[in-house]
Amino acid sequence: MLASPGFRGGPCYSCPQYTYSNRYRLFLSSSSPCSCHLHPRKTLLWPSTSFFSAGRSFTRFRIRASDESQIVQSARETAQHTLPYSVKIPVGDRHILVETGHMGRQASGSVTVTDGETIVYTSVCLDDVPSEPSDFFPLSVNYQERFSAAGRTSGGFFKREGRTKDHEVLICRLIDRPLRPTMLKGFYHETQILSWVLSYDGLHAPDALAVTAAGIAVALSEVPNSKAIAGVRIGLVNDKFIVNPTTKEMEESELDLVLAGTDSAILMIEGYCNFLSEEKLLQAVEVGQDAVRTICSEVEALVKKCGKQKMLDAIKLPPSELYRHVEEIAGTELVKVLQIKEKIPRRKALSLLEDKVISILTEEGYVSKDESFGAMETIPDLVEDVDEDEEVVVDGEVDEGDIHIKPVLRKSTRLLFSEVDVKLVFKEVTSKFLRKRIVEGGRRSDGRTPVEIRSINSQCGLLPRAHGSVLFTRGETQSLAVVTLGDKQMAQRIDNLEGADELKRFYLQYSFPPSCVGEVGRVGAPSRREIGHGMLAERALEPILPSEDDFPYTIRVESTITESNGSSSMASVCGGCLALQDAGVPVKSSIAGIAMGMVWDTQEFGGNGTPLILSDITGSEDASGDMDFKVAGNGDGVTAFQMDIKVGGITLPIMKQALLQARDGRKHILAEMAKCSPPPSRRLSKYAPLIHVMKVKPEKINLIIGSGGKKVKSIIEESGVEAIDTQDDGIVKITAKDMTSLEKSKAIISNLTMIPTVGDIYRNCEIKSIAPYGVFVEIAPGREGLCHISELSANWLAKAEDAFKVGDHVDVKLIEINEKGQLRLSRRALLPDTQPEKPTLKQRAVDLTKETAATQKISDKTIPKKVANTSKEGSAGGKSEQSASRSITVKQTSSIKSQSVEESQPKEKFLKRLVSNAKEGVSTLNDKTKMNNSEAVSNISSENKSGLVNGEAKVG
C-alpha cells in the first residue's frame, strides 16, 4: 500500500470510523487527534512506513500491522477476486454472459456483460479519502457508446467521441437512480461508475444491459450496498410481454418499459406507451420483476464466489445523542414552521431555526468549529520507543527520528459534534416531523389532504409573436410553455450507433433556471436533470401528436420553469399540451401529468403500517418522502410514467394504489385545464410558416433539383419561399411565409413537373431562342420544346429568323415526346389547312442534317443529366402507331428519278419510331386506321446507315 508523497493530512484510516475492510489496518498512537496531523508532509509505505521531510537529521517512525496472518489472508483473497470467472444468466428467452476478472482488474469491481454480440463493460472505483459528509451519496455515473462498437468512427473533426450525448445522459440516469437507494448511509467515499459499449450488433439494446452490468459491478466491489440490483426492458407485441426485446421487436411494441430492482422489490421504473391501461402496466411490471428476481439470485451467487469484502467499517454516522439534542432544542418550533404554507417563507424559517440549533449546541460546548473534528473515540497517540529495533530506511528517503507509534487510549472527554453532522441531523429530524404531521394530522404543509390537488390556473396566447404559448400554474409550480413550428430544417439531428442520422420532428426542451426557486446558480448547458425531465415530458406528449402526413411541421416545445415547488416536469406536460393546441396542432386528445409521493412507514407515527400515498407532491414532500412517481396520460390510459424509490423498494399492491390514485388526479387536472382562460386558439398563428405538400412522380424530382441544386435554388429565389424539401418518393414540401410566394412556387413546380400529352395545345408561348433548324418555345416555366423550322409555317422557310425573333409569342401543339422526354412542337398544325409549298428532297436532307447536329448539341440544355427512363409498355410490339409522331416525313421518290440521282444523294434508312406518353407510361396511340400510313420504310442505301433512332437523326 503506497500513499502519494504529496499527501497532506485528512482522515486517517487507522481510526475505526475510517478503517477499510480488505485493506490494512494501521494502529497509531499520537497526542494529536489522529496521526495524519503529525507532519505537514508524509509518505506511507508498506510493510514499513516512514514519515519524512527534507533534512539531514532524522527520526524513524514505524507502523506495525495488527495481524500478519490477516494481511496474508487479505492478499490471498484479493488475488482470488481477480481470477477470471464467467457465468450465464437466463433473461427472457435467452442468456446473458457475465464475466469478471478478465478486464479492469485494478478497479474495485469490473464486469463485462454480453447479450448476443452486444458487449457492455462497466467498472466501479472509489476514492481512498472520504469526502465531506452530506445527505447526498457521492456517486457519479458515466456511460458512453463507442462508435467503434458498431464499426464506425465519429463524424466530427477530431474523429473521437466528445461530450456526452443526450441519450447517453438518459442511460446514466437509468443506472444511477436504482443504485442510489441501495447505498448505505454514512459512506462518503466518492464512487465512480464507468460504462462503455464495446460492441453493438444492432439487435440487442445496450441500455438495460448497462443497468444490470452496473448493479453486478457494484455488488462485486468494496462499496457497501444493501442488495444487488438488475435491470430489464419489457415490450408488448401482439398482446404478449417480452423481456429484453430486440430492436426489431421494439418497432412493433406498444410499450417501452425499463425496470430495475432487487430480488424482493422494485426500485425504478420508466416507461412510455400509447394510452395503455393501468392494469396492463401492472402486468408488465410483474413480468419485469420476475425477470429481475432471477438475475439478482444469480448475481448473489456470483458475489459469494468473486465479491470483495464490503467497507462497512468506513461508514460514519452522526452519533445518536445528536438526534436527541436537536429534537429537544427545535422540536416545538419545528412543528410551527412546518405549518407555513408558502415555500420561501418556510425555507427561510427552517434556515434560521437550523442556525439557532447550531448556535445553542456551540454555546453548550457540543459543537466544534473545526470541521475535521468529529465525534471523538479512541485516538492513537505518538510516543517515543527507544527499545524497538530500527527499521531499514529506504534509499533516498530521510528518516527523522527513532519514534515508534503505539496505540494509547486518550482520556474520555465530552462528545463533540461537527457542524456538518448537526445539519444532517436537523434535516432528518425535519423530515421526520413533516411525515409525522401528514400521518397523524392528515394534513400536509400547505393544508391539503393526501389526495387533494393544488389550485390550477392556465392562460393561453400570452406571447403574441410565438406560434403557441401558455402559462400553466399549479400551486407554486409554474411553467411557461412555448411552441415553435418549422420545416424539416428545424428537425433535431441525432447521431447514434445505428449508422443513420435520426431526425426528430418533435422535441421538448426543459429549462430549470435557479431563479425559479429563488436562488443564485449556474446558467449554461442543460444539466442531466433538465435533460431527463425534458425527455419524460416529450415522450408523454408524443402519442397525441398527428402524423407527419396530416401535419408536416417540425414541432419544438420549450418549457421554462418560472416557479418550482415540486412536479415541474408534470407541469411541463400540462403546459406543453395546452401550448400545442394554442399553436394549432391537431392533437388527438388532451393529457395531463401528476407526481405521486409516499410515506412508507406510517406505523412509526401512529398509523396502521400501510404506506400513505400522496397526490401532487410538493418539493419538501419529494425530499422528505419515500417515493417520486410521475404519471402522464388522460382518463383512459397512460402515455408516460417514471418512478424513483428512496427506500428498500415498492410492491405491486402499493404501485397499483398509486396508479389508480394518479388516474383520479389526472381527471381532475384535465377538467381544470379545460377552464383555461383565454382558451387555446386551435389554429395556426399568422406568424407560423406555411407548408404545402405536393406529390410528383419520383423520376421528376431531378427536374426540380437541377444540376448541383441550381434549379431548386432558382425557384426559391424567384418565388421568395423559405425552403423546398424534396424526397426520393416524390414528396415535395414548400415552406413559405406568405401565400403569394407559396402559390408562385407551386405554379413553377407544377409546370416543371407536369406530364405533357401529345395533342396538347399551348397558347401565347414565348420563343426563348432561335436555331438554324427551328425555335425553342417555353410552354411552361422551365419547360421548353423544339418547334422545327418545317413546323413553323405552312410555307417553306429558309431561316427561322426570317419570320420570328426571340420574345415573340406563338401558339403551338405538342406533336411528339421522344424517349428522352424531349418535346417536339408544331405551329403549323394550328394554322388553317393550306397547300404548302413542298421542299425538294435536297432541301429536306439539308434540314435533316442541321436538326440532327443541333439536337445532340442542346440535349443537355432541355433535359437534366439524370432523367428517369420513360416506360415503354403498350408500344404495340415496338411499332409506331401514329404518323404525326415522326419528326420528318419523307416520301419515296418516283421511279422516274434517274440512277445518277440515286447514286449522288445520301442513301437514307427510315426506322419506325417509338413515342412514349410520359404521363401514362405507355406509347401514344392514335386511331388504328392511321397505323398503316405511319409505316414508311425506304432502304436507299446500306452504307451510310443514317436515320432516326429514338427520336434523333443520326447522320453518318
Side-chain angles (χ1 to χ4, degrees), residues 86 150 190 316 353 368 442 473 590 641 695 722 746:
S86 62
E190 185 175 353
K316 180 184 177 183
L353 184 56
S368 170
T473 307
S590 295
F641 51 97
K695 176 70 175 178
E722 291 187 340
K746 280 172 56 179

Side-chain angles (χ1 to χ4, degrees), residues 327 335 338 429-443 599 601-602 604-607 612:
E327 290 187 18
V335 173
L338 291 177
V429 172
T430 302
S431 176
K432 176 183 176 181
F433 274 68
L434 177 64
R435 296 148 66 94
K436 182 178 180 180
R437 169 181 167 81
I438 296 174
V439 176
E440 288 185 353
R443 292 286 174 177
V599 178
D601 187 7
T602 59
E604 179 184 358
F605 310 109
L612 180 62

Side-chain angles (χ1 to χ4, degrees), residues 361-393:
L361 289 176
T362 303
E363 291 175 359
E364 295 179 357
Y366 288 100
V367 174
S368 170
K369 289 297 182 180
D370 185 3
E371 293 298 330
S372 64
F373 192 82
M376 304 311 299
E377 297 181 10
T378 302
I379 301 177
D381 277 343
L382 183 66
V383 296
E384 233 177 280
D385 184 4
V386 184
D387 298 331
E388 295 286 345
D389 294 334
E390 295 184 356
E391 296 289 339
V392 178
V393 180

Side-chain angles (χ1 to χ4, degrees), residues 1 10-20 24-30 32-38 44 51 63-64 313 377-381 405 407:
M1 182 172 64
C12 176
Y13 295 99
S14 65
C15 301
Q17 64 267 31
Y18 294 118
T19 301
Y20 275 14
Y24 305 113
R25 182 189 298 266
L26 305 177
F27 289 94
L28 309 177
S29 60
S30 173
S32 62
C34 72
S35 61
C36 294
H37 301 285
L38 289 174
L44 190 62
F51 299 91
I63 299 175
R64 294 177 299 185
D313 292 341
E377 297 181 10
T378 302
I379 301 177
D381 277 343
I405 301 170

Side-chain angles (χ1 to χ4, degrees), residues 260-312:
T262 65
D263 57 355
S264 59
I266 303 168
L267 295 175
M268 183 274 297
I269 60 173
E270 181 167 331
Y272 310 99
C273 49
N274 192 6
F275 297 103
L276 280 185
S277 64
E278 285 78 3
E279 291 74 14
K280 279 286 186 184
L281 294 181
L282 289 173
Q283 294 176 17
V285 171
E286 186 174 5
V287 172
Q289 189 177 17
D290 292 340
V292 167
R293 187 181 295 112
T294 302
I295 299 174
C296 288
S297 61
E298 296 287 342
V299 172
E300 293 291 349
L302 176 64
V303 171
K304 291 179 181 179
K305 295 181 180 180
C306 304
K308 296 180 180 179
Q309 188 175 352
K310 298 298 182 181
M311 294 171 54
L312 299 176

Side-chain angles (χ1 to χ4, degrees), residues 666-688:
R666 292 198 311 273
K667 291 180 180 179
H668 173 80
I669 296 171
L670 287 170
E672 294 297 316
M673 289 169 59
K675 302 176 184 178
C676 178
S677 177
S681 64
R682 299 183 186 275
R683 64 176 183 272
L684 285 177
S685 167
K686 62 181 180 180
Y687 301 111

Side-chain angles (χ1 to χ4, degrees), residues 90-102:
V91 180
D93 58 352
R94 58 185 184 272
H95 288 74
I96 61 173
L97 177 64
V98 178
E99 298 175 283
T100 184
H102 295 266

Side-chain angles (χ1 to χ4, degrees), residues 184-417:
L184 301 183
K185 288 185 177 180
F187 186 77
Y188 301 122
H189 293 260
E190 185 175 353
T191 305
Q192 186 180 49
I193 299 175
L194 302 178
S195 186
W196 295 274
V197 179
L198 302 182
S199 177
Y200 179 60
D201 58 6
L203 198 61
H204 303 93
D207 49 1
L209 208 62
V211 176
T212 299
I216 298 174
V218 170
L220 293 172
S221 72
E222 299 163 292
V223 179
N225 65 327
S226 57
K227 283 188 175 182
I229 72 155
V232 295
R233 169 177 267 109
I234 303 298
L236 179 61
V237 180
N238 298 327
D239 206 30
K240 180 183 178 182
F241 294 106
I242 304 175
V243 179
N244 279 3
T246 63
T247 53
K248 291 184 179 179
E249 291 172 331
M250 282 304 300
E251 293 176 358
E252 304 175 0
S253 178
E254 304 175 43
L255 172 68
D256 182 7
L257 168 66
V258 177
L259 180 145
T262 65
D263 57 355
S264 59
I266 303 168
L267 295 175
M268 183 274 297
I269 60 173
E270 181 167 331
Y272 310 99
C273 49
N274 192 6
F275 297 103
L276 280 185
S277 64
E278 285 78 3
E279 291 74 14
K280 279 286 186 184
L281 294 181
L282 289 173
Q283 294 176 17
V285 171
E286 186 174 5
V287 172
Q289 189 177 17
D290 292 340
V292 167
R293 187 181 295 112
T294 302
I295 299 174
C296 288
S297 61
E298 296 287 342
V299 172
E300 293 291 349
L302 176 64
V303 171
K304 291 179 181 179
K305 295 181 180 180
C306 304
K308 296 180 180 179
Q309 188 175 352
K310 298 298 182 181
M311 294 171 54
L312 299 176
D313 292 341
I315 295 176
K316 180 184 177 183
L317 295 172
S320 57
E321 292 83 356
L322 184 56
Y323 290 87
R324 178 175 55 83
H325 288 299
V326 172
E327 290 187 18
E328 289 176 356
I329 297 173
T332 304
E333 292 188 49
L334 195 56
V335 173
K336 297 179 182 179
V337 170
L338 291 177
Q339 294 177 5
I340 301 175
K341 294 183 178 181
E342 291 78 14
K343 174 185 175 180
I344 299 299
R346 183 172 63 250
R347 186 180 69 186
K348 291 182 177 180
L350 285 173
S351 179
L352 292 175
L353 184 56
E354 181 185 71
D355 293 340
K356 179 181 178 181
V357 171
I358 295 175
S359 177
I360 293 175
L361 289 176
T362 303
E363 291 175 359
E364 295 179 357
Y366 288 100
V367 174
S368 170
K369 289 297 182 180
D370 185 3
E371 293 298 330
S372 64
F373 192 82
M376 304 311 299
E377 297 181 10
T378 302
I379 301 177
D381 277 343
L382 183 66
V383 296
E384 233 177 280
D385 184 4
V386 184
D387 298 331
E388 295 286 345
D389 294 334
E390 295 184 356
E391 296 289 339
V392 178
V393 180
V394 181
D395 290 341
E397 292 187 359
V398 180
D399 198 319
E400 290 241 331
D402 195 15
I403 299 178
H404 302 290
I405 301 170
K406 287 184 178 180
V408 175
L409 294 180
R410 188 178 177 183
K411 293 181 180 180
S412 61
T413 59
R414 169 176 287 185
L415 195 64
L416 295 181
F417 313 114

